[in-house]
Amino acid sequence: MRKRNCTCGAEADVRRGTRRTADGHDEIVYRVNCPVCGQLGPAIPAAGKDEATAIAEAVEAWNEMIARSRPLED
């Protein structure tokens, strides 16, 4: 799956990070991040998934987010 460029035109990166859940535990998440403007894609929890699946879901969520902001592009 091809990752779309950010709305600023830069090539974004997939990043692995952690976030604190409501019950106080840390969870691993993947999200796409633009290194130029700092725009973040939706956080995709890695729980119950292998790394490749979580990354693919993060890229898909990013592509959908960018498509909503630029609907006329391929």
Side-chain angles (χ1 to χ4, degrees), residues 11-28:
E11 185 175 328
D13 303 317
V14 177
R15 303 241 174 133
R16 176 184 168 157
T18 59
R19 71 175 175 191
R20 181 118 350 190
T21 62
D23 61 358
H25 293 93
D26 288 337
E27 71 177 346
I28 296 172

Side-chain angles (χ1 to χ4, degrees), residues 43-73:
I44 304 300
K49 302 172 190 159
D50 62 36
E51 184 177 38
T53 300
I55 289 172
E57 289 180 12
V59 170
E60 183 177 351
W62 169 264
N63 286 346
E64 289 173 2
M65 182 184 82
I66 297 300
R68 284 191 302 274
S69 64
R70 296 188 311 214
L72 300 178
E73 287 187 11

